[in-house]
């Protein structure tokens, strides 16, 4: 049951905002005794109260459910600290320029850790005039394929979505590209540094 909303988090967030149990209770229309039960683990907030509780405590509903609040220390939006999230249900690709709480299709998504490519996930990078031509030597069947290739620059990134039974290549302007990310739907995220 601790995967729901922890009493320790409710108490910490309430105290950080300088609220008494009574004041928090008034904000979500419950008694101070009810708030006390939540904080001591003798009860949990009803699901109908979660949105009001998260608003009163100044966190998102996802953070409240996760049991921790997230503070993004990447204040300068450095693209080289970009995080990538991929939904295993719908395949949605979400990126952030720092720590975030991300959910899709009702599940909380972890930030993917990019790995060095292995022999089965080789990315070829060719310079053709002012572009990189990037191809993955990979099966592109319906159940095993490269989902996207991205060129990450210090000032932005460009994603090219790939589809099963199609070519596994993309073209990117060379200017300011630092590295490439690509995602295998079975094995995860890979990273290759640009040549320049």
């Amino acid at each position: 049951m601790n995967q729901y909303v922890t009493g320790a988090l409710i108490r910490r967030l309430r105290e950080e905002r300088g609220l008494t149990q009574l004041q928090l209770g008034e904000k979500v229309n419950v008694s101070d005794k009810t708030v006390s039960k939540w904080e001591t683990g003798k009860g949990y907030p009803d699901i109908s109260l979660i949105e009001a509780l998260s608003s009163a405590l100044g966190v998102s509903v996802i953070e409240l459910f996760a049991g921790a609040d997230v503070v993004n220390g990447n204040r300068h939006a450095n693209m080289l600290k970009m995080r990538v999230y991929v939904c295993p249900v719908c395949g949605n690709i979400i990126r952030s320029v720092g720590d975030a709480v991300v959910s899709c299709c009702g599940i909380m998504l972890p930030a993917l850790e990019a790995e060095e490519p292995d022999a089965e996930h080789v990315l070829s990078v060719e310079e053709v005039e002012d572009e990189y031509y990037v191809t993955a030597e990979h099966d592109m069947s319906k159940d095993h394929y490269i989902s996207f290739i991205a060129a990450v620059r210090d000032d932005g990134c460009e994603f090219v979505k790939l589809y099963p039974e199609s070519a596994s290549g993309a073209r990117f302007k060379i200017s300011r590209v630092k590295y490439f990310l690509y995602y295998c739907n079975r094995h995860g995220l890979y990273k290759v540094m640009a040549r320049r």
Side-chain angles (χ1 to χ4, degrees):
M1 203 60 172
N2 248 1
Q3 296 301 323
Y4 183 42
V5 178
T6 65
L9 179 66
I10 293 171
R11 181 178 180 165
R12 181 176 64 79
L13 293 172
R14 175 184 60 77
E15 289 175 348
E16 284 176 3
R17 278 147 191 79
L19 298 171
T20 65
Q21 289 179 339
L22 180 62
Q23 290 169 323
L24 178 58
E26 288 172 351
K27 288 181 178 283
V28 294
N29 296 318
V30 298
S31 70
D32 58 336
K33 291 180 182 178
T34 300
V35 174
S36 177
K37 285 182 182 180
W38 296 342
E39 291 181 357
T40 58
K42 295 178 182 169
Y44 297 95
D46 185 78
I47 194 74
S48 65
L49 299 174
I50 295 299
E51 192 171 342
L53 183 60
S54 67
S55 178
L57 295 173
V59 295
S60 70
V61 170
I62 295 170
E63 289 170 299
L64 198 57
F65 275 121
D69 49 336
V70 172
V71 177
N72 188 351
N74 188 13
R75 298 283 180 217
H76 303 290
N78 184 343
M79 292 305 300
L80 302 180
K81 294 182 179 181
M82 183 179 70
R83 306 277 191 273
V84 177
Y85 307 82
V86 177
C87 179
V89 177
C90 70
N92 196 6
I93 303 162
I94 303 159
R95 68 176 173 91
S96 70
V97 290
D99 293 330
V101 176
V102 176
S103 75
C104 188
C105 295
I107 56 174
M108 198 161 74
L109 304 177
L112 298 177
E113 294 290 327
E115 299 177 22
E116 292 291 321
D118 55 23
E120 294 179 27
H121 297 91
V122 175
L123 192 74
S124 299
V125 179
E126 283 183 60
E127 289 186 30
V128 179
E129 296 178 6
D130 64 340
E131 293 182 321
Y132 284 122
Y133 178 57
V134 182
T135 56
E137 304 294 327
H138 194 279
D139 182 26
M140 291 296 284
S141 66
K142 287 184 179 180
D143 60 343
H144 189 201
Y145 58 92
I146 298 296
S147 174
F148 69 82
I149 300 174
V152 181
R153 299 173 173 85
D154 56 2
D155 64 344
C157 69
E158 181 180 356
F159 280 79
V160 173
K161 179 75 173 111
L162 304 176
Y163 298 93
E165 300 181 345
S166 67
S168 60
R171 292 184 179 275
F172 302 98
K173 291 288 185 188
I174 288 175
S175 178
R176 300 177 81 160
V177 172
K178 301 300 181 190
Y179 61 88
F180 299 97
L181 293 174
Y182 55 109
Y183 180 76
C184 171
N185 72 319
R186 282 192 188 169
H187 301 106
L189 188 66
Y190 295 93
K191 178 178 178 178
V192 172
M193 300 305 292
R195 294 182 189 169
R196 290 183 180 213

